[in-house]
């Protein structure tokens, strides 16, 4: 035992120095003005703005993590290092199993396309994967990226850990009493339920698959429009994954280490971490590695040894049973006291396609007596056939109730799909009746149309209009992009019936048509109509343009009569050729000479 304690003390001193150096390097390269204390903890001007994340609002539920730190030497393998020496062993920590490394890089490529402003580096996923599961237990994954055996964190029962009661009926973690972090990126079931992604294209979202888990982690880190190339946003994103300053510094250390270089190693040959953040959470109990059965709680039988029996008669003592002190009752959490949810004054949820909803969903958590409950996590989920999202592009948002028991969801951003959908509010970790909110997305609209050109279109009968008709649509003074427009050649200003003569468009077969639908303004609200033609009827005609929202514009089209053709000469009325010799030109050379 003394040798073990001495090893831990020596290792602690060494890793503290490693943390200080690694975090200092990251601070110097990414955060001007950042400072590092003597414990290797980094602080910047935005430290106070780091999110105060509740356990089941984080990706992992603030589960335990590996605290092993990277070496100070270069991460690149040294060809001169002797086999088995310390340098070779430490340099090997830079190796990332091939399938795991591929999953990180694929996730980075996907996020570069889906959320380019996030600037997610694959090295951040590698750093988190190292801290959460030791790169999927050293790359012990199948060919498709699924872990050979499930990786489970300890149950979050409030005994040395956060208290998160079962949210998935054991579907992901096999535990119907409490949640456990699952998979190589250690998602808790309630987070995976909305953050899960299919990263390997097999049609499933499996937290035990490194491709799925890495892509989900990338989306999770990018969900609030954070720019991870900015130090402040990077810190917030990491803390949202596991809300611990020590966790932040550990991840930053590995991030800097992997940025300085890494290499691919065969699956299943990665170095396994040793130390975990819960090493001292339970005195006298060795913490389990992820995926193993959590050890017995102090005061409970482990099953490995029988309980001592009371003294038998004749052994010199009287049989007695030591008093058993029941464990203290866990005090109820605010979540435990919630009886129901109530609407907190949410207005009508309506927005035009492509616009932000003016109203935000507001929900109040109450006890059975109607008293407000603060510090309760409320999950808002979009339900139905819609492409509307919350700000940041997600379809699920979790918000903690304030002192008045109210949680206000992020603003809704309408997509292009019109129609009704629902926003469902529910309590995280409790099965109480939620509150559904009906929301509607209406078609894009314009309230004004104007002719772009100053001249009214004209042409001659039987011809074509030289210039196409161009209009601009606006809504409340702003350009109305992607608005549907209908164009009809009407009989008159008082008669909207389609005209049967005068100007016309041509369909795909070249036939005359006098009404067009499916036209749509561009992003700047501009619309150029197809070419117009005129039949033989001269006069003034009206082209009526209408949009959703009530905008109407009548464009006057003038068709001028065609010019009258020049008459052909009548041979019967032409004078006969003259036969008078005196009028004929002379052919006498002498006359010509005289002239």
């Amino acid at each position: 035992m003394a040798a073990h304690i001495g090893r831990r003390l020596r290792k602690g001193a060494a890793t503290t120095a490693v943390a200080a150096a690694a975090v200092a390097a990251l601070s110097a390269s990414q955060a001007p003005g950042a400072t590092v204390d003597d414990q290797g903890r980094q602080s910047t001007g935005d430290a106070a703005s780091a999110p105060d994340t509740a356990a089941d609002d984080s990706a992992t539920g603030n589960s335990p993590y590996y605290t092993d730190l990277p070496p100070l030497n270069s991460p690149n393998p040294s060809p001169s290092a002797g086999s088995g020496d310390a340098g070779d062993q430490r340099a090997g920590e830079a190796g990332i199993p091939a399938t795991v490394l591929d999953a990180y890089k694929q996730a980075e490529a996907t996020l570069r396309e889906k959320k380019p402003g996030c600037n997610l580096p694959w090295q951040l996923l590698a750093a988190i994967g190292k801290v959460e599961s030791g790169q999927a237990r050293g790359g012990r994954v199948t060919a498709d990226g699924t872990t050979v055996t499930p990786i489970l964190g300890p149950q979050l029962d409030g005994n040395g850990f956060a208290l998160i009661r079962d949210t998935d009926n054991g579907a992901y973690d096999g535990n119907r009493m409490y949640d456990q972090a699952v998979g190589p990126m250690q998602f808790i079931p309630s987070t995976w339920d909305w953050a899960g992604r299919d990263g390997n294209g097999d049609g499933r979202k499996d937290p035990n698959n490194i491709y799925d888990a890495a892509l989900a982690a990338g989306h999770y880190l990018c969900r609030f429009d954070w720019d991870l190339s900015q130090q402040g946003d990077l810190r917030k994103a990491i803390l949202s994954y596991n809300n611990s300053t020590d966790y932040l510094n550990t991840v930053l250390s590995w991030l800097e280490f992997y940025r300085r270089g890494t290499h691919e190693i065969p699956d299943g040959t990665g170095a396994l971490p040793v130390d975990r953040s819960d090493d001292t959470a339970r005195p006298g109990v060795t913490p389990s590695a992820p995926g193993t059965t959590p050890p017995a709680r102090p005061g409970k039988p482990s099953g490995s040894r029988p309980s001592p029996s009371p003294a038998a008669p004749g052994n010199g003592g009287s049989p007695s049973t030591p008093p058993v002190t029941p464990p203290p009752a866990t005090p109820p959490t605010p979540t435990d006291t919630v009886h129901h949810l109530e609407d907190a004054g949410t207005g009508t949820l309506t927005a035009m396609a492509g616009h932000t909803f003016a109203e935000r969903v507001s929900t109040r958590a109450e006890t059975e007596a109607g008293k407000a409950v603060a510090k309760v996590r409320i999950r808002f989920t979009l339900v139905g056939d819609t492409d509307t999202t919350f700000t940041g592009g997600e379809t699920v948002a979790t918000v903690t109730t304030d002192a008045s028991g109210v949680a206000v969801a992020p603003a809704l951003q309408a997509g292009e799909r019109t129609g009704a959908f629902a926003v469902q509010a529910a309590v995280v970790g409790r099965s109480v009746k939620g509150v559904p909110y009906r929301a509607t997305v209406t078609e894009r609209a314009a309230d004004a149309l104007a002719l772009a050109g100053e001249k009214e279109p004209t042409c001659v009968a039987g011809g074509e209009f030289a210039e196409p008709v161009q209009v601009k649509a606006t809504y409340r003074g702003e350009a109305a992009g992607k608005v549907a427009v209908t164009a009809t050649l009407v009989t008159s200003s008082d008669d909207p019936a389609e005209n049967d003569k005068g100007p016309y468009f041509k369909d795909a077969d070249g036939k005359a048509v006098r009404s067009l639908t499916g036209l749509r303004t561009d992003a700047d609200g501009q619309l150029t109509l197809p070419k117009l033609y005129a039949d033989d009827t001269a006069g003034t005609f009206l082209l009526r343009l209408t949009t959703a929202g009530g905008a109407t514009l009548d464009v006057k089209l003038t068709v001028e009569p065609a010019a009258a053709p020049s008459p052909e000469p009548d041979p019967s009325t032409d004078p006969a050729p003259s036969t008078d010799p005196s009028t004929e030109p002379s052919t006498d050379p002498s006359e010509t000479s005289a002239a």
Side-chain angles (χ1 to χ4, degrees):
M1 176 62 73
H4 173 73
I5 294 175
R7 181 186 70 81
R8 290 299 305 278
L9 289 175
R10 290 192 299 273
K11 182 177 181 66
T15 54
T16 297
V18 171
V23 177
L26 185 66
S27 301
S29 64
Q30 282 196 297
T35 61
V36 181
D37 65 19
D38 60 355
Q39 298 300 315
R41 296 185 180 90
Q42 182 180 14
S43 61
T44 63
D46 69 340
S49 63
D52 182 14
T53 309
D56 49 357
D57 288 340
S58 67
T60 68
N62 297 335
S63 293
Y65 56 91
Y66 286 107
T67 58
D68 298 51
L69 292 170
L72 289 174
N73 58 292
S74 170
N76 295 310
S78 173
S80 62
S83 176
D85 70 12
D88 182 59
Q89 182 180 5
R90 299 297 282 164
E93 293 190 16
I96 299 178
T99 299
V100 178
L101 180 60
D102 183 58
Y104 296 150
K105 292 185 175 181
Q106 281 200 28
E108 178 197 56
T110 300
L111 269 297
R112 189 185 305 122
E113 176 185 352
K114 299 293 185 182
K115 296 184 178 181
C118 180
N119 294 307
L120 171 78
W122 67 261
Q123 292 91 341
L124 176 58
L125 297 176
I128 291 176
K130 178 71 173 181
V131 169
E132 293 295 346
S133 68
Q135 310 298 18
R137 289 203 197 117
R140 288 162 178 77
V141 296
T142 60
D144 70 345
T146 302
T147 58
V148 175
T149 55
I151 300 176
L152 296 175
Q155 64 180 13
L156 301 174
D157 57 4
N159 189 358
F161 306 114
L163 174 60
I164 306 180
R165 292 186 173 86
D166 177 55
T167 61
D168 65 330
N169 199 29
Y172 295 119
D173 55 14
N175 190 334
R176 296 187 179 184
M177 293 187 65
Y178 302 98
D179 274 350
Q180 293 175 252
V182 181
M185 303 304 278
Q186 288 289 276
F187 280 95
I188 55 173
S190 58
T191 301
W192 182 262
D193 191 51
W194 61 265
R197 296 292 192 278
D198 176 15
N200 62 351
D202 64 356
R204 300 174 60 238
K205 299 175 183 178
D206 182 3
N208 294 298
N209 183 279
I210 186 59
Y211 287 99
D212 294 359
L215 183 59
H219 276 281
Y220 185 91
L221 294 165
C222 294
R223 70 194 185 285
F224 289 131
D225 288 336
W226 282 327
D227 179 358
L228 301 186
S229 66
Q230 301 297 317
Q231 181 68 2
D233 284 356
L234 175 65
R235 290 170 58 86
K236 293 174 186 176
I238 296 172
L239 284 169
S240 78
Y241 210 89
N242 191 314
N243 192 25
S244 162
T245 301
D246 289 337
Y247 179 88
L248 169 68
N249 289 335
T250 305
V251 170
L252 289 175
S253 298
W254 283 105
L255 171 60
E256 176 61 19
F257 182 73
Y258 287 136
R259 275 177 167 163
R260 287 187 282 126
T262 187
H263 58 280
E264 178 183 300
I265 61 174
D267 288 344
T269 64
L272 296 177
V274 176
D275 297 318
R276 297 217 316 171
S277 60
D278 60 341
D279 277 357
T280 59
R282 300 172 185 181
V285 179
T286 302
S288 61
T292 61
T293 302
R297 299 288 181 263
K300 296 182 181 180
S302 65
S304 60
R305 298 180 61 185
S307 302
S309 58
N315 66 357
S318 59
S320 63
T321 302
V324 177
T325 303
T330 303
T333 66
T335 301
D336 294 330
T337 66
V338 177
H339 177 266
H340 61 273
L341 296 178
E342 292 285 347
D343 176 28
T346 305
T348 303
L349 296 171
T350 302
M352 189 188 305
H355 288 66
T356 302
F357 282 71
E359 286 286 331
R360 293 168 65 176
V361 178
S362 182
T363 300
R364 175 181 162 96
E366 297 182 354
T367 65
E368 187 172 7
K371 183 180 179 180
V373 185
K375 298 182 180 180
V376 174
R377 274 76 65 198
I378 305 299
R379 180 180 297 117
F380 299 95
T381 305
L382 304 187
V383 181
D385 185 17
T386 182
D387 56 355
T388 296
T389 64
F390 291 110
T391 302
E394 300 295 343
T395 58
V396 177
T398 302
V399 181
T400 302
T401 58
D402 59 19
S404 61
V406 174
V408 180
L412 288 165
Q413 178 65 44
E416 295 301 323
R417 196 171 301 164
T418 60
F421 64 97
V423 182
Q424 183 70 37
V427 178
V428 176
R430 283 293 304 279
S431 297
V432 300
K433 185 177 180 181
V435 179
Y437 297 83
R438 179 182 173 86
T440 305
V441 177
T442 60
E443 187 178 2
R444 287 178 178 264
D447 54 17
L449 282 170
L451 192 64
E454 296 182 356
K455 296 182 179 180
E456 294 180 343
T458 61
C459 78
V460 296
E464 60 185 51
F465 289 81
E467 298 294 333
V469 176
Q470 294 181 319
V471 296
K472 181 170 183 177
T474 56
Y475 183 77
R476 297 180 180 177
E478 300 292 334
K482 301 180 182 180
V483 174
V485 179
T486 298
T488 305
L489 290 147
V490 297
T491 302
S492 69
S493 59
D494 298 325
D495 186 356
E498 184 179 303
N499 207 336
D500 60 355
K501 58 181 180 291
Y504 61 90
F505 301 104
K506 288 184 179 180
D507 63 13
D509 297 325
K511 296 180 180 179
V513 293
R514 290 185 167 87
S515 183
L516 293 179
T517 58
L519 304 172
R520 196 169 291 274
T521 62
D522 62 17
D524 297 323
Q526 303 276 357
L527 172 64
T528 300
L529 272 67
K531 183 180 285 294
L532 277 163
Y533 302 86
D535 61 13
D536 294 335
T537 307
T540 300
F541 302 89
L542 285 182
L543 170 64
R544 177 162 293 173
L545 304 174
T546 57
T547 73
T552 301
L553 174 67
D554 285 345
V555 180
K556 186 169 73 172
L557 305 176
T558 301
V559 179
E560 299 175 346
S566 300
E568 294 292 334
D570 186 354
S572 63
T573 61
D574 287 347
S578 174
T579 56
D580 185 353
S582 63
T583 62
E584 295 294 323
S586 174
T587 57
D588 188 342
S590 61
E591 292 181 2
T592 303
S593 176

